[in-house]
Amino acid sequence: MSNPIYEIPVTGGGSPFDAPPVFPPPPAFPPPPAFAEPPQYTPSPPPTAPPAYVDPRPTGLFPEPIAAPPIVAPPIVPAPIVPVPQAPLAEEQPTSRSRSQGDGPQGDPELKAALQEVLLSGASDLHITSNAPPMIRIDGGLRPIEGAPVWSRDRVARAVTSILSREQLEQFEEHLELDLAYTLSANARFRVNIYQQRGAIGGAFRIIPTGIKPLSELGMPASISRFAELARGLVLVTGPTGSGKSTTLAALIDLVNRTRADHIVTVEDPIEFLHENHRSLINQREVGSDTHSFGNALKHVLRQDPDVILIGELRDLETISVALTAAETGHLVFATLHTQDASQTIDRVIDVFPPHQQGQVRAQLAATLQGVVCQTLVKRAGGSGRAVATEVMVTTPAIANLIREGKTFQIPSAMQAGRALGMHTMDQHLADLVNAGIITQDAAFEKAHDVDGIKRLIQRVEATPMSAGSIDFGDRFSGV
């Protein structure tokens, strides 16, 4: 079947591509509709209101409700206030009892009489224990109070518990040990230790001087006062129990208090000497009533902005570690130890730490230790009273090097050669006291570290008592 679109007429024998193509006419489309006019806008009628509601109920059956009158509250008339009689208020009691108060009942009368005897006789201590009369210490020796009867176990228990508060009694029953301070009167305070022995209670009372004497009146060398002028470092005051360490520390703190505008913080067990603010601000904290332990107090003391810190006693590794850290961070730290001489004091501090830390502690101690004061009390030659004998070590670069290298046994030789710097050994000071006639040779030999060495230092010849039949030549060697 042929396609009409491609049928091309051929004329005259020419090529069919020479004639123009013939296309069919385009298809006819219907004409577009005529444009219609848009419808005219007619506004809608306004809305009409809904028809009124008609109640379908019959009239007359349900009367219209009557509005209730407004409720008006009656005026409030306050009732008259009738005063109630009250009993007089008792004196306000503190929420926490201080161990320094010793405020049980008024105190046992016989115990108070024994403490009065300590004051009148010039004694330093009172001891009460079962099956013995009250004993007092005078010039280093114990003797019973004249005319005092033997106290039984129950008698001692009543006397001791009469000065304890309820909290203190609970602490003693838990730990079987208790330290406190007891105030007998305005000018009589005692440091008290209560203990248990063979199932019975005992107590030791030591009198605390109310006034703080300067170092010169205590018989201390003038070189010790230089420690109060230090800006930083560690100063240790050592000696046996009852040698006057607390008195020396109180004199040093009082010197700082009167000469420097610093903040002083003390941590004691218990508080012995009460300081007042002079040029410095001083805060005294007591273990047991103001803080739970030395360790807890010293952990936070550096945040209290102190310049001078007094630690009542370096008891354990934690306390010694914090003391060294405080001295390293730029504070002046005073503390006590129960040692006999300077070299033993340094060894004691180092030996508390485990072996792997001792090298570091030697370096810390060499950098922070400023001095050591060792003291003891010796009977006077006159027979009444006691004199203080001291050993003073000032840390020089040579001594610091001996500490760092662990050669503390050479420290006494360095001290003997450091007289110009205010240093001396215990034997040197004892010899000086003998030569000055303050103590006897026998008393010096009892406290000496090297008896043969002190004999070479003593130059005074003491008179010996005349025996029967001896001749009195009228000189200082004859007679007594």
Side-chain angles (χ1 to χ4, degrees), residues 85 108 133 154 440 470:
D108 185 81
D154 295 337
T440 63
S470 59

PDB file of all heavy atoms in Angstrom, residues 85 108 133 154 440 470:
ATOM      1  N   PRO A  85       2.873  33.450 133.381  1.00  0.00           N
ATOM      2  CA  PRO A  85       4.088  33.538 134.212  1.00  0.00           C
ATOM      3  C   PRO A  85       5.048  32.411 133.882  1.00  0.00           C
ATOM      4  O   PRO A  85       4.651  31.263 133.718  1.00  0.00           O
ATOM      5  CB  PRO A  85       3.543  33.418 135.642  1.00  0.00           C
ATOM      6  CG  PRO A  85       2.230  32.739 135.499  1.00  0.00           C
ATOM      7  CD  PRO A  85       1.667  33.171 134.178  1.00  0.00           C
ATOM      8  N   ASP A 108      35.326  17.580 143.828  1.00  0.00           N
ATOM      9  CA  ASP A 108      35.402  16.942 145.133  1.00  0.00           C
ATOM     10  C   ASP A 108      36.160  17.836 146.116  1.00  0.00           C
ATOM     11  O   ASP A 108      37.244  18.346 145.796  1.00  0.00           O
ATOM     12  CB  ASP A 108      36.118  15.595 144.985  1.00  0.00           C
ATOM     13  CG  ASP A 108      36.131  14.834 146.280  1.00  0.00           C
ATOM     14  OD1 ASP A 108      35.126  14.191 146.598  1.00  0.00           O
ATOM     15  OD2 ASP A 108      37.172  14.893 146.982  1.00  0.00           O
ATOM     16  N   PRO A 133      48.183   7.688 149.525  1.00  0.00           N
ATOM     17  CA  PRO A 133      47.751   9.061 149.773  1.00  0.00           C
ATOM     18  C   PRO A 133      48.080   9.948 148.576  1.00  0.00           C
ATOM     19  O   PRO A 133      48.914   9.594 147.734  1.00  0.00           O
ATOM     20  CB  PRO A 133      48.569   9.465 151.012  1.00  0.00           C
ATOM     21  CG  PRO A 133      49.796   8.621 150.918  1.00  0.00           C
ATOM     22  CD  PRO A 133      49.368   7.318 150.316  1.00  0.00           C
ATOM     23  N   ASP A 154      37.459   3.456 145.334  1.00  0.00           N
ATOM     24  CA  ASP A 154      36.225   4.209 145.151  1.00  0.00           C
ATOM     25  C   ASP A 154      36.426   5.686 145.445  1.00  0.00           C
ATOM     26  O   ASP A 154      35.816   6.549 144.788  1.00  0.00           O
ATOM     27  CB  ASP A 154      35.123   3.639 146.051  1.00  0.00           C
ATOM     28  CG  ASP A 154      34.734   2.224 145.665  1.00  0.00           C
ATOM     29  OD1 ASP A 154      34.976   1.848 144.492  1.00  0.00           O
ATOM     30  OD2 ASP A 154      34.204   1.498 146.530  1.00  0.00           O
ATOM     31  N   THR A 440      75.316  21.568 141.288  1.00  0.00           N
ATOM     32  CA  THR A 440      76.467  20.810 141.773  1.00  0.00           C
ATOM     33  C   THR A 440      76.984  19.872 140.689  1.00  0.00           C
ATOM     34  O   THR A 440      76.309  19.605 139.685  1.00  0.00           O
ATOM     35  CB  THR A 440      76.083  19.989 143.016  1.00  0.00           C
ATOM     36  OG1 THR A 440      75.087  19.030 142.642  1.00  0.00           O
ATOM     37  CG2 THR A 440      75.528  20.894 144.108  1.00  0.00           C
ATOM     38  N   SER A 470      88.982  16.599 161.338  1.00  0.00           N
ATOM     39  CA  SER A 470      89.749  17.325 160.323  1.00  0.00           C
ATOM     40  C   SER A 470      89.991  18.740 160.805  1.00  0.00           C
ATOM     41  O   SER A 470      89.314  19.255 161.686  1.00  0.00           O
ATOM     42  CB  SER A 470      88.982  17.326 158.999  1.00  0.00           C
ATOM     43  OG  SER A 470      87.705  17.946 159.167  1.00  0.00           O
TER      44      SER A 470
END
